[in-house]
């Protein structure tokens, strides 16, 4: 149980970094260097957080006989995985349970990262008291070198006392060797299974592992893959219905699962509560009605996390990247007391939307920092769609150096037929504004999508209108051809845009000159 408590604290801690970090002056590369330098400080700090299990009332349910906290669970995962793999090679144990790998989507945002870490921990302590036969391992779903670009996630991990260097990443040798490729991995291999969080279809590079997917926890439209996992089995939880996400964050689903399993008198540790709370606030935009993200389930999870987290546990540790002034704003009544949810959200949001960070980032890094590729399952001329989310206005984005050349190179390197860039920023009044750029290798395909988005009733809810304000006047139009649009529906995120584009793509079987 102690491990759970530690994970919650992680979420809350991260949110603090808002303005006090002084990180806005660092470009992506400098930020990465800075983090690498500071990581040394983190490793030198022996993070021995107290993990006491607090219960109120007569008897509280003991989740398991776990001996490690949330932080310890994460940092010891590589050692446990290495040990299990060595044991499996030295002896043939037919009774050994398969390793359960938990991974987020290829974009690897804070929700994907934190939901994988926390679900792995929760499943580990709830599933069995025999930890020798049950191994649940979370994987950070992006390359290790890319983590510094996820500023909000880095801050969260720091505030929770988690050493990011000790987390397993998708490109780590032990992980890539385990996942293998289509020539080396066999469907009959029973050594591991995969849980998908924050997506419901394995990325195309892992298609050979499709049958190894044994569980899905997600809040995006069901792409109807891995159909051997049924809703009735309880292993296919996709909180999306009739074009609407039922929760803003996968972390809400993890929190719901956790609190269903423990009594209302049981408190979880600060690190676990902090990371879950922070991501839910971030994904729901702190339940701002105008954003249209948060649902009653998200708010219920927030309230339960605030109530059932032992905020007095391990609250004195000082993060490396968040100064004392910011910490005092987030914990105005002291670090061992309840956090201010608005200050927590503001810190996370400002670190994620920091204009200077985005302005100084290269075009390619902007495109890949939150990128997803969607295969088109039909006989269409369009075989794949790429969607990048950027947190800046489109005019500023297209003014970046070598914009048109890098955009064309990105389309070619990703081998997509259409690339959409979804821009989100907030105006001076704090209202969300969305814009869209479409480009591709064939101008006829780009034109087909432009016509569909602006004229077809199926896409009308997005309120897409092509820009005619001379936005390209001072910028050479990309050789691959690009079209810019405004999106009136600020609630239409990639969750809503992607299914619309995929439906149209599946119908493109011929093109007019």
């Amino acid at each position: 149980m102690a491990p759970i408590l530690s994970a919650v604290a992680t979420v809350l801690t991260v949110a603090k970094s808002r303005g006090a970090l002084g990180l806005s002056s660092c470009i992506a590369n400098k930020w990465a260097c800075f983090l690498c330098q500071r990581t040394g400080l983190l490793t030198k700090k022996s993070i021995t957080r107290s993990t006491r299990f607090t219960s109120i009332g007569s008897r509280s349910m003991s989740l398991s006989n776990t001996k490690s906290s949330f932080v310890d669970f994460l940092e010891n995962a590589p050692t446990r995985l290495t040990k299990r793999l060595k044991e499996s090679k030295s002896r043939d144990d037919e009774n050994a349970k398969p390793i359960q790998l938990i991974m987020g989507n290829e974009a690897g945002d804070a929700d994907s990262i934190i939901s994988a870490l926390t679900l792995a921990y929760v499943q580990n302590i709830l599933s069995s008291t025999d930890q020798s036969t049950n191994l649940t391992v979370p994987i950070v779903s992006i390359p290790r070198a890319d983590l510094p670009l996820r500023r909000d996630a880095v801050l969260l991990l720091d505030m929770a006392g988690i050493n990011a260097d000790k987390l397993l990443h998708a490109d780590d040798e032990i992980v890539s060797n385990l996942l293998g490729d289509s020539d080396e991995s066999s469907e009959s291999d029973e050594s591991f299974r995969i849980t998908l969080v924050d997506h419901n279809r394995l990325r195309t590079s892992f298609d050979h592992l499709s049958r190894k997917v044994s569980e899905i926890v997600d809040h995006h439209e069901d792409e109807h893959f891995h159909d051997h996992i049924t809703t009735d089995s309880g292993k296919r939880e996709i909180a999306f219905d009739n074009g609407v996400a039922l929760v803003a964050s996968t972390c809400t689903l993890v929190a719901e699962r956790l609190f269903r399993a423990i009594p209302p008198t049981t408190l979880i540790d600060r690190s676990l509560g902090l990371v879950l709370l922070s991501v839910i606030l971030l994904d729901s935009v702190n339940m701002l009605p105008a954003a249209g993200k948060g649902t009653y389930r998200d708010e219920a999870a927030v309230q339960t996390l605030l109530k059932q987290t032992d905020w007095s546990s391990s609250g004195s540790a000082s993060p490396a990247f968040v100064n004392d002034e910011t910490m005092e704003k987030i914990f105005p009544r002291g670090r061992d007391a309840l956090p201010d949810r608005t200050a927590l959200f503001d810190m996370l949001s400002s670190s994620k939307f920091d204009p200077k960070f985005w302005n100084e980032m290269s075009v390619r890094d902007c495109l890949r920092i939150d990128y997803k590729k969607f295969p088109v399952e039909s006989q269409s001329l369009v075989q794949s769609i790429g969607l990048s989310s950027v947190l800046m206005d489109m005019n500023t984005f297209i003014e970046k150096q070598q914009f048109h050349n890098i955009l064309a190179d990105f389309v070619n390197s990703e081998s997509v037929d259409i690339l959409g860039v979804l821009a989100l920023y907030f105006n001076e009044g704090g209202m969300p504004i969305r814009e869209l750029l479409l480009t591709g290798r064939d101008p006829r395909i780009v034109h087909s999508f432009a016509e569909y988005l602006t004229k077809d009733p199926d896409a009308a809810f997005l309120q897409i209108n092509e820009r005619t304000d001379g936005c390209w006047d001072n910028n050479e139009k990309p050789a691959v051809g690009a079209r810019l649009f405004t999106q009136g529906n600020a609630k239409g995120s990639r969750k809503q845009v992607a299914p619309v584009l995929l439906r149209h793509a599946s119908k493109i079987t011929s093109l007019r000159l």
Side-chain angles (χ1 to χ4, degrees):
M1 172 108 223
I4 296 189
L5 308 179
S6 201
V8 181
T10 305
V11 177
L12 287 176
T13 314
V14 156
K16 311 171 188 177
S17 77
R18 177 192 187 175
L21 306 184
L23 297 174
S24 61
S25 60
C26 300
I27 61 174
N29 290 337
K30 291 181 180 178
W31 166 253
C33 293
F34 175 72
L35 287 180
C36 290
Q37 294 169 354
R38 295 307 295 267
T39 300
L41 295 178
L42 284 176
T43 18
K44 291 176 183 176
K45 295 178 182 178
S46 63
I47 304 172
T48 55
R49 296 184 172 277
S50 82
T51 56
R52 70 187 174 94
F53 174 92
T54 305
S55 58
I56 302 172
S58 53
R59 290 186 61 184
S60 289
M61 183 183 77
S62 175
L63 295 183
S64 69
N65 295 325
T66 53
K67 298 179 181 179
S68 64
S69 68
F70 175 60
V71 172
D72 289 338
F73 167 79
L74 297 178
E75 295 186 353
N76 292 327
T79 301
R80 294 196 307 273
L81 178 59
T82 300
K83 180 180 179 182
R84 172 63 69 84
L85 293 176
K86 286 182 178 179
E87 290 174 349
S88 65
K89 288 182 179 180
S90 63
R91 58 185 172 84
D92 184 15
D93 188 352
E94 295 181 356
N95 296 320
K97 293 183 179 180
I99 299 165
Q100 193 73 29
L101 302 179
I102 302 187
M103 297 193 301
N105 62 50
E106 63 186 308
D109 62 1
D111 191 27
S112 274
I113 294 172
I114 299 300
S115 63
L117 300 181
T118 54
L119 182 62
Y121 177 70
V122 170
Q123 287 191 349
N124 192 68
I125 61 176
L126 294 181
S127 61
S128 172
T129 56
D130 184 4
Q131 301 301 311
S132 64
T133 60
N134 184 64
L135 181 61
T136 306
V137 180
I139 307 296
V140 177
S141 57
I142 55 175
R144 183 174 293 276
D146 285 355
L147 183 60
L149 295 176
R150 276 64 174 182
R151 302 180 76 192
D152 48 356
V154 170
L155 294 173
L156 271 171
L157 296 172
D158 176 37
M159 293 180 71
I162 298 168
N163 186 346
D165 274 357
K166 294 187 177 181
L167 300 178
L168 287 165
H169 287 68
D171 64 337
D172 288 347
E173 183 177 4
I174 189 172
V175 177
S176 52
N177 286 345
L178 183 61
L179 298 180
D181 56 37
S182 55
D183 295 327
E184 298 175 352
S185 294
S186 170
E187 290 293 343
S188 62
D189 180 8
E190 297 295 328
S191 64
F192 71 95
R193 292 287 179 264
I194 298 172
T195 294
L196 302 182
V197 294
D198 202 27
H199 65 314
N200 57 72
R201 178 183 179 179
L202 270 176
R203 65 187 77 175
T204 53
S205 60
F206 291 155
D207 275 349
H208 59 287
L209 300 173
S210 178
R211 297 296 298 181
K212 292 187 178 297
V213 176
S214 61
E215 184 177 21
I216 296 172
V217 182
D218 184 33
H219 65 137
H220 297 82
E221 183 167 333
D222 194 343
E223 295 190 49
H224 300 291
F225 274 76
H226 317 300
D227 286 340
H228 58 283
I229 307 168
T230 64
T231 302
D232 291 342
S233 70
K235 295 293 185 178
R236 191 184 189 93
E237 183 178 10
I238 300 179
F240 194 98
D241 188 42
N242 292 324
V244 177
L246 304 181
V247 294
S249 177
T250 309
C251 283
T252 295
L253 303 178
V254 176
E256 289 178 341
R257 182 172 298 196
L258 168 61
F259 290 119
R260 280 197 302 265
I262 65 176
T265 55
T266 296
L267 302 185
I268 65 172
D269 106 350
R270 188 175 186 273
S271 292
L272 179 60
L274 183 60
V275 291
L276 287 171
L277 174 63
S278 297
V279 175
I280 296 170
L281 292 176
L282 185 62
D283 286 349
S284 68
V285 196
N286 199 18
M287 299 300 294
L288 178 70
K293 294 286 188 181
T295 70
Y296 74 93
R297 290 172 64 178
D298 299 300
E299 181 61 26
V302 166
Q303 293 301 326
T304 305
L305 284 164
L306 289 170
K307 179 181 178 181
Q308 280 190 247
T309 297
D310 180 8
W311 297 109
S312 66
S313 64
S314 308
S316 59
S318 296
F321 305 139
V322 186
N323 65 27
D324 290 341
E325 181 182 354
T326 302
M327 291 291 286
E328 290 173 3
K329 290 180 180 178
I330 296 172
F331 295 96
R333 292 174 292 277
R335 297 188 189 183
D336 59 351
L338 206 66
D340 183 310
R341 61 183 281 180
T342 299
L344 180 59
F345 165 76
D346 285 346
M347 180 279 293
L348 278 178
S349 182
S350 64
S351 72
K352 185 176 181 180
F353 282 84
D354 183 359
K356 192 167 183 64
F357 173 75
W358 284 93
N359 290 344
E360 295 179 336
M361 208 186 312
S362 70
V363 173
R364 181 168 182 79
D365 279 348
C366 286
L367 291 172
R368 71 186 184 88
I369 193 173
D370 190 358
Y371 171 77
K372 291 182 182 178
K373 186 175 181 179
F374 299 86
V376 178
E377 300 300 323
S378 72
Q379 299 302 313
S380 168
L381 295 178
V382 178
Q383 294 300 300
S384 61
I385 297 172
L387 291 178
S388 295
S389 295
V390 299
L391 303 180
M392 62 194 307
D393 68 274
M394 199 62 75
N395 280 5
T396 302
F397 184 44
I398 66 178
E399 288 172 0
K400 284 181 174 289
Q401 187 176 10
Q402 295 293 308
F403 171 79
H404 56 283
N405 290 332
I406 297 173
L407 186 67
D409 288 344
F410 191 82
V411 170
N412 291 326
S413 66
E414 291 297 323
S415 299
V416 292
D417 297 294
I418 193 81
L419 173 68
V421 181
L422 294 83
L424 171 64
Y425 64 99
F426 291 85
N427 63 17
E428 293 181 357
M431 300 301 292
I433 306 295
R434 290 190 182 273
E435 297 176 293
L436 172 67
L437 179 150
L438 287 181
T439 188
R441 290 177 287 187
D442 189 331
R444 295 174 300 172
I445 290 179
V446 177
H447 178 73
S448 176
F449 277 92
E451 290 289 293
Y452 170 73
L453 288 174
T454 56
K455 298 178 180 179
D456 196 287
D458 185 45
F461 76 99
L462 293 173
Q463 301 170 28
I464 301 289
N465 290 290
E466 187 155 14
R467 286 179 55 175
T468 57
D469 56 357
C471 54
W472 295 111
D473 288 352
N474 298 319
N475 299 277
E476 181 181 350
K477 198 169 184 178
V480 288
R483 309 277 284 270
L484 288 175
F485 309 84
T486 60
Q487 180 181 312
N489 181 1
K491 300 177 182 179
S493 66
R494 184 163 51 195
K495 290 185 187 70
Q496 287 74 40
V497 174
V500 170
L501 296 180
L502 287 169
R503 283 195 290 272
H504 179 62
S506 67
K507 301 174 184 177
I508 301 178
T509 56
S510 63
L511 293 169
R512 297 179 181 178
L513 296 176

